[in-house]
Amino acid sequence: MQLTHRATGAPVTATYWMDHAWLGTHVEPGVTLDVADGRIAGIRTGVGTPPPGATALRGLTLPGLANTHSHAFHRALRATVQVGSGTFWTWRELMYRTASRLTPDTYFDLARATYAEMALAGITAVGEFHYLHHAPGGTPYANPNAMGEALIAAAAEAGIRITLLDTAYLAAGFGEQPNRHQLRFSDTTAEAWAERASLLKGDDHTLIGAAVHSVRAVPAGQLATVAQWAEERNAPLHVHLSEQTAENDACHAAHGRTPTRLLADHGVLGPRTTGIHNTHLTEADIELLGSSATGTCMCPTTERDLADGIGPAAALQKAGSPLSLGSDSHAVIDLFEEARAMELNERLRTHIRGHWTAAALLRAASADGHAALGRPDAGVLEPGAPADLTTVALDSVRTAGPMPRLAAETAVFAASAADVRHTVVAGRHIVRDGRHTRIEDVPRALAEAVAALHH
């Protein structure tokens, strides 16, 4: 049966032929996709061979993946933080040391290479949780958004979309002034943060959102200022939430309630808000997040790397909290690993298999992630959606063997970022046959950017 769907009468600027495409519910063989104005203009099924002029994408083509939570400069910590032992808090000291060395120029270089690594992993949009605002000591740059604009420019050069989640980070803890490392992060007040953040500008590939670093880093009386800024702009609002039990204990001591309850009491929760981690929650917390449709971004590779614990993802989703995924500290950059880790962690915790289908995990890695980043029309292969695509090889040593109709299961439970062959953003080929089309040598760019921080 041949099906044709068309969106607009705009001129077609590119046509892709996919030998297998994930259409949300099933794998469809032989699909063409037309692009106009950077969006999907039409889809046709039952096309056995590439039409004249079409670009062939061999493997399983998925909607572009969304990395909902990133700290780009953490990429410089890879392997370094695996020496010795410790806790989240000892890891944080190493993170501060790296942050202290960054300038707008070196941050651009590192972020450009990191975002290129994301493109190679099939990621077409990133949520950058950005709190490294000022020069060492806390002095603003002549351009107060020099660091944020470096990230926006880095994403543009790497060819992926960015939602810059400009982050309010004002305190070291409840009632504590920022320490010497955190002076770079702080605007001193939420009002000053809002004034600076208001100067940021988006474009076709850039959205500007907001973030509360955590309840320990933004005094309770200033939470509403950040929430109101995001509400006035209909912008995404993200927050690290209950990643550590120590945060919960300190919040109880300061306010007599959980961090989730504190956020609810100050108007932070809601459908534009995403809690990052949401690891150590009470049943009442889960109900608050679910009933308010506040999202949950799980970052399993970071949560296990930092020994944070396993969050109640299944219970949160059942309560009404949409799930998305992020690579956070970039211990690895691999959304397939994040997706399967969420499922496999839940299996280890419950001794039961099969909490999410491959389709549900792909949705968390794509459509629900894009929605959390302010792009609710993205993450689907449908007319009108952004023409953002990811193609996974079905003939690698990891993916060869299963029947094509099981390609979604193969992608989620066997593939890795190394199996991504093509990444298309707004209809433009960013990764072709496993090579970045804009940055000739991504490994070298990463090595040089990281080395520059250690000299």
Side-chain angles (χ1 to χ4, degrees):
M1 180 180 179
Q2 196 175 79
L3 298 176
T4 301
H5 302 281
R6 297 205 60 82
T8 69
V12 171
T13 54
T15 298
Y16 291 95
W17 176 83
M18 304 167 280
D19 65 351
H20 292 90
W22 174 249
L23 299 185
T25 57
H26 66 287
V27 175
E28 183 74 30
V31 179
T32 60
L33 182 149
D34 293 329
V35 178
D37 295 331
R39 293 186 171 267
I40 299 173
I43 291 179
R44 188 158 61 100
T45 61
V47 184
T49 57
T55 300
L57 305 177
R58 298 192 182 276
L60 174 67
T61 298
L62 309 163
L65 305 179
N67 189 355
T68 306
H69 187 64
S70 161
H71 302 291
F73 76 89
H74 289 191
R75 177 60 180 81
L77 301 172
R78 189 178 293 179
T80 304
V81 292
Q82 305 302 347
V83 178
S85 59
T87 66
F88 168 87
W89 306 102
T90 53
W91 169 90
R92 191 173 71 156
E93 290 303 312
L94 293 171
M95 180 269 287
Y96 284 156
R97 204 174 306 160
T98 299
S100 70
R101 299 184 178 120
L102 285 159
T103 67
D105 288 341
T106 59
Y107 204 7
F108 167 80
D109 291 339
L110 178 59
R112 173 179 175 268
T114 301
Y115 295 153
E117 182 182 354
M118 291 184 194
L120 289 167
I123 292 162
T124 59
V126 61
E128 183 61 40
F129 199 104
H130 167 55
Y131 54 80
L132 189 53
H133 302 305
H134 307 301
T139 303
Y141 290 102
N143 171 3
N145 285 307
M147 294 295 263
E149 290 177 8
L151 292 166
I152 291 170
E157 288 216 5
I160 69 172
R161 304 179 193 271
I162 185 171
T163 297
L164 188 74
L165 298 155
D166 196 278
T167 304
Y169 193 136
L170 309 173
F174 297 97
E176 298 179 26
Q177 292 299 309
N179 64 34
R180 61 188 179 88
H181 299 294
Q182 296 163 339
L183 290 171
R184 294 199 74 173
F185 311 160
S186 178
D187 291 294
T188 69
T189 67
E191 289 76 13
W193 165 83
E195 184 177 349
R196 180 187 52 72
S198 296
L199 300 174
L200 288 161
K201 304 298 181 187
D203 55 36
D204 288 347
H205 285 259
T206 306
L207 296 178
I208 306 300
V212 170
H213 179 273
S214 56
V215 293
R216 67 179 186 275
V218 177
Q222 300 186 58
L223 290 169
T225 299
V226 184
Q228 183 178 353
W229 186 96
E231 182 177 0
E232 288 172 354
R233 291 159 177 78
N234 196 30
L237 175 61
H238 289 205
V239 54
H240 289 133
L241 179 57
S242 290
E243 182 178 4
Q244 292 288 323
T245 55
E247 177 182 284
N248 291 353
D249 295 342
C251 190
H252 269 289
H255 296 289
R257 67 200 77 179
T258 67
T260 302
R261 180 76 257 176
L262 186 68
L263 293 175
D265 290 346
H266 289 274
V268 176
L269 303 186
R272 284 182 298 97
T273 300
T274 298
I276 311 301
H277 304 301
N278 295 0
T279 308
H280 301 285
L281 303 178
T282 66
E283 290 186 7
D285 290 339
I286 293 170
E287 174 58 27
L288 274 173
L289 293 168
S291 63
S292 62
T294 300
T296 294
C297 176
M298 302 297 291
C299 306
T301 66
T302 292
E303 289 149 7
R304 70 192 185 195
D305 181 55
L306 299 182
D308 287 342
I310 299 171
L316 281 160
Q317 187 174 52
K318 185 176 180 180
S321 178
L323 298 179
S324 57
L325 298 165
S327 63
D328 191 0
S329 69
H330 314 313
V332 297
I333 293 176
D334 188 336
L335 264 290
F336 302 111
E337 177 62 20
E338 303 293 347
R340 70 172 154 266
M342 186 166 70
E343 165 65 28
L344 299 183
N345 283 353
E346 194 71 4
R347 292 183 187 187
L348 287 173
R349 193 179 69 80
T350 63
H351 302 176
I352 297 171
R353 302 176 75 244
H355 299 272
W356 291 278
T357 63
L361 293 169
L362 286 174
R363 182 172 180 84
S366 56
D368 286 343
H370 290 292
L373 297 179
R375 294 186 175 89
D377 58 342
V380 292
L381 300 186
E382 296 176 2
D388 297 352
L389 317 173
T390 298
T391 303
V392 180
L394 296 179
D395 58 357
S396 76
V397 292
R398 288 166 293 277
T399 61
M403 292 177 286
R405 67 179 177 82
L406 297 175
E409 286 76 10
T410 301
V412 170
F413 291 103
S416 78
D419 296 310
V420 172
R421 292 293 176 266
H422 303 280
T423 304
V424 174
V425 179
R428 292 188 281 272
H429 229 132
I430 302 302
V431 173
R432 187 191 301 269
D433 297 320
R435 295 187 64 84
H436 203 286
T437 61
R438 300 184 177 190
I439 300 172
E440 184 175 346
D441 190 340
V442 176
R444 180 177 178 179
L446 284 162
E448 290 178 349
V450 173
L453 301 182
H454 298 297
H455 290 163

